[in-house]
Amino acid sequence: MIKQNEYYEGRVRSLEFANAQGKFTVGVMEPGEWTFEAPTREWMILTRGSWDVKLPGSEEWKTFGEGDSFQIEDNESFTVRITDAVAYLCPYT
């Protein structure tokens, strides 16, 4: 029912689950710079902290704070740069 995911030697962790509203992960990331490939469309919603994001097709960093979100299409990648631990929610299709 609930799957645990770990990336980058455990510095990024999430719990994956599904309910009547759809599929989700909730997770935390330690400081660092992390690149992710999205196999499906997903929305990244920051719930704690702030991060800089390099969105697909851009070479510029954009800062997001608590409550901010962005959408990634399937088979796109994005990079986050974090200076303090963050928490996020990620619904996906």
Side-chain angles (χ1 to χ4, degrees):
M1 176 183 279
I2 297 174
K3 178 183 172 190
Q4 182 176 333
N5 302 306
E6 281 192 28
Y7 309 95
Y8 296 104
E9 298 175 350
R11 296 188 64 200
V12 176
R13 296 181 185 203
S14 68
L15 298 176
E16 183 178 340
F17 65 99
N19 65 17
Q21 294 176 292
K23 298 176 182 178
F24 303 85
T25 60
V26 292
V28 293
M29 297 183 191
E30 292 183 8
E33 189 171 306
W34 317 116
T35 299
F36 301 95
E37 170 106 13
T40 62
R41 180 184 309 155
E42 58 185 49
W43 295 263
M44 296 295 292
I45 304 163
L46 190 61
T47 58
R48 284 287 184 257
S50 67
W51 52 18
D52 297 323
V53 180
K54 194 180 291 185
L55 295 167
S58 177
E59 291 301 316
E60 306 232 354
W61 293 97
K62 183 175 179 182
T63 300
F64 291 85
E66 290 181 21
D68 289 340
S69 65
F70 58 90
Q71 180 179 328
I72 302 296
E73 294 299 322
D74 58 328
N75 299 313
E76 289 185 332
S77 62
F78 63 98
T79 301
V80 295
R81 184 172 57 196
I82 301 163
T83 58
D84 197 8
V86 301
Y88 66 91
L89 168 66
C90 177
Y92 62 95
T93 57

